[in-house]
Amino acid sequence: MKTSAVGQYSVALLAFGIALFLERVLGVFMATHPFLFFYGAVAIAGWWGGWGPALMNTALSLISFSAFFPLGHQGDWVRPSDVVSLGIFAMLSLLVTKLNVSLRQTNAERALLLERERAARSEAENERARLHALFMQAPAHIALFRGPQHIYELSNPPNNELLGHRQLVGRTVRQAVPTAEAEVIASLLDRVYTSGEPFVGREMPIRVPRSDGGEHEVYFNLVYQPTRNSQGQVDGIAGFGFDVTDLAQARQRAEALTAELRHGEERLRMLAEAGATLASSLDYEATLKNMARLAVPRLADWCFVDVAMADGTFKRVEVAHAAPEDAPLAERARGFTAVLAGNPLHPPTQALLRGEALIIEDFTDARLEASGHSVEHVSIMRAIRPRSFVIVPLVVRERTMGVLTCFTTHSGRHYTNIDLSFFRELASRASLSMENARLYREAQEAIHLRDEFLSIASHELKTPLTPLSLKLQSLSRELSRTAGMLPRPLVESYVEVGSRQVKKLSELVNTLLDVSRIASGRLRLDAVEVDLAALVRELVGRHEAQAVRMGSPLQLEGADVPIIGWWDRLRLEQVVMNLVDNAIKYGQGRPIHLRLAEGPERARLTVRDEGIGIAPEHLPRIFGRFERAVSDRHYGGLGLGLYITRTLVEAMSGTVRVESLLGRGSTFTVELPRAHHARDS
C-alpha cells in the first residue's frame, strides 16, 4: 500500500514517540533491554516508509539514548558499554531497516506479480472462451484430438452435423466416425501423431450419413496439425476441414464439359474424315473398311461391319482391332456375322431384329455366355472380352443394308447415349454412301443393259428385215425380167417368206410394247374360262414342226384331262410360247418335256429341256429385264421373254421358278390358281 512522504514520516515519528513513552514508563522493568521499544519503532518506520523514516527513527533513538542515559547512572558520564550498545543498536536498526525495506519491496513485487497473474489468467480464460466460441461458430469443421487413440476433445457443430449428430467428445475416432471412413481418417491421424508432420489433403472424398439412413459423398480440404506439450512432444492433433463439395463438383463438371467438348471436336473431326473417306470411292466395301479403321482405336477397341446380301444373309466385310496381338482372334471373328435366325441375344442380331440402334453400357460375363450363336462363338467372345457395345443398323429408306458394331475391351471405356448419337450419325453417312454406291452401280448396269439391249434389238430387228428386203429385191428383179404374169408358186414362196419375217417383226414389236405396258402399269388382263390342257396341245401342235427341225421334239404328258381355270387366254398362251421357245432355243437338239398337273386349287405346267443349262450365279437374275445368262454372239433374243413371263404369271397370281444345272438342262415350273385371282399390273 503506498502513502505520501508526510504520512510515512508521521507514522515514523508516532512510532518513535510511542517507543519513547513506553521506555520512560516501563524502562525500570526493562533495564537489560533499553532499546527494545525503539527497535520496534525503527522496524515500523522502515516497514511503513522505507529507508528515510527508518533512518530518522534510528537517529532520534540514538539522540534520545545519548541525552537520557546519563541520568540513569551514577558515576561516569558515558560508559564504553553504552557506546557499544548504541553501535549495536544502530547496526541492528540498519539491518532491520534493510530487511523491512527488502521485505516490503518483495511483498510489493509479489502483489504485483499476483495481480499480473490474476490478469493473465483472466485474459487467458477470455481468450480460451473467445477461441472456443470461434471454433464453435466457425464455418469450418474443427475437431481436437488428444492421445495416440485420437480421443475427441472438441468437435464444433458443423463437424457434429457432418457426422450425423453423434456423441463425439470422449470417444475415439474409430468409435465415433462411420465405419466406411473410420480407418482412412484414423490412419491419417496415426501418421501425423507418429511423424509429427502436419497433413494437408485437397478435395478428399468422404462418405457421410444422410438423414434418411443412406450416405452421400462430400469433398473436403483437410488439415491435421499436431499439438505439443511443454516438453515439445506430440500430445494431440487439431483437425480442420473445409467443405469444398460445390467447388469440387463444379470443377468435375467443368472437366467433364471440357472432356466432352474435346470428344465433340474429335467426333466432328472424325465425321469430317469419315465423310471424306465415304465420298472418296463408290466401292462401298472399301469405304466401309476405311471407316471401321477410323473408329479404331479413337472410338472403339474393335469394330465389325456386316453387309446385307441379296439372299437376306450378312457378310462380314471388316474386323478392325486396336491391338496387333489380336489378329488371330480377328480372323476367327470374321466367321461369326449377324444371323437373323441365330441367337436373338447376340448384340448385332438383337439390333437388327429391333430395327434400331442398341447401346450396352456394361456387357457382363453372364450376358456374354448367353449371347453366342454356338459354343465356339462364345469361346471367341470370351477370348475377346467385350465390355461395352454400340450397334447401329445401316438403314436407308427403311431398307437394312448392314450393321455397324463397335465395342471396347482393354481400354475399359463405357459408351453413353452421347456416343450412341454420334454412331447413329456415322452409320447414317455410311448408309447413304452405300446407297449412293448401289444406285451408281445400278445406273451403270442399267446403262450397260440399255446399250446391250439396243445392240441386240437392232440386230434382232435386222434379222427379219434382211431376208424380207432380199425377197422383195428378188421379186422386183423377176418383175423386170418377165413381161407377163409371174408363176403362182414363185409368188407364193415370196409371200410366205415375207409373212414369216413380218410375223417375227410383229412379235418383236409386241414384246417391246408389253415391256412398255408393264413398266407404265398399263398391262390389263381379261380372265375367261380356259382349258389349259387344250391350249397347251394346240401350241405344241404349232411348234412341233419347228421343234423337229431343231432336233428337239416336244413330248407332252398329262394333257388328256381338261384343266379348267380362269385366266387371260392370250397372256397364258404367251407364257407357254415363251417357255417352249426358250426350251427349243437352248435345248441343244435334245427332247423337250412338257407336263401338266392339276390340284384342287392350282394348275401346274412344267417345261424341261436337256440343253445347256444355267450357271448358279445367273439363276437369281434370269427373270430380270434385259437379263441374259448366255452370250448374244451365240444365242439371239432381247432378254425379255422370261421377264415378261414372270410378270404375266404374277399378274395372274401365280408363280414361276427355275431349277437348272450347267450342261444338264433347265426346268421351268409355272403354278397358277384355277380361281379368278388375276390382278392388273
Side-chain angles (χ1 to χ4, degrees), residues 44 82 106 236 260 285 297 331 445 464 485 497 501 506 524 565 616:
I44 291 173
D82 293 333
T106 299
E260 186 57 37
E285 288 195 12
E331 286 303 315
E445 292 175 355
M485 297 291 293
V497 172
Q501 303 307 322
S506 178
R524 296 291 182 266

Side-chain angles (χ1 to χ4, degrees), residues 13 32 37 115 123 156 182 271 274-275 320 405 461 476 508 513 566 607 642:
L13 290 174
T32 59
F37 296 113
E115 182 64 25
E123 185 177 357
N156 70 345
L271 282 178
T405 304
L461 290 172
S476 177
L508 289 171
L513 287 175
W566 285 83
V607 180
L642 292 179

Side-chain angles (χ1 to χ4, degrees), residues 237 356 575:
I237 297 174
E356 60 183 17
V575 168

